[in-house]
């Protein structure tokens, strides 16, 4: 859709499951997602996500495995 055009500014977004993605900064963030404050090129945003997203399991799964959610 947007390719690797370095002129597009992206925002790093986060959902309730603490999963990250990138979204074109000039577009409204989809429902269920919020901006994290990181804005940059596609490469910069993906590099940022790679550094901060160390556990890719959804939050609900992490909570369940740690016993924080009742079954």
């Amino acid at each position: 859709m947007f390719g690797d055009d370095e002129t597009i500014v992206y925002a790093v977004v986060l959902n309730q499951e603490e999963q990250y993605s990138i979204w074109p900064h000039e577009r409204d963030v989809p429902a269920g997602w919020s901006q994290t404050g990181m804005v940059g090129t596609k490469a910069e945003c993906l590099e940022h996500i790679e550094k901060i997203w160390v556990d890719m399991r959804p939050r609900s799964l992490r909570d369940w495995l740690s016993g924080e959610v009742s079954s």
Side-chain angles (χ1 to χ4, degrees), residues 24-37:
H25 188 255
E26 76 280 353
R27 296 184 64 191
D28 291 337
V29 177
W33 294 83
S34 60
Q35 291 197 27
T36 65

Side-chain angles (χ1 to χ4, degrees), residues 5-24:
D5 184 347
E6 289 295 317
T7 64
I8 298 172
V9 177
Y10 289 91
V12 176
V13 294
L14 179 70
N15 68 16
Q16 293 93 347
E17 287 287 338
E18 297 181 357
Q19 298 169 310
Y20 291 89
S21 189
I22 61 173
W23 192 255

Side-chain angles (χ1 to χ4, degrees), residues 7-8 11 49 60 63 67 69:
T7 64
I8 298 172
I49 290 171
S60 57
D63 289 351
V69 175

Side-chain angles (χ1 to χ4, degrees), residues 30-53:
W33 294 83
S34 60
Q35 291 197 27
T36 65
M38 173 61 188
V39 176
T41 65
K42 182 177 182 178
E44 291 168 337
C45 288
L46 292 175
E47 183 178 329
H48 177 73
I49 290 171
E50 187 174 328
K51 288 179 185 175
I52 63 169
W53 196 7

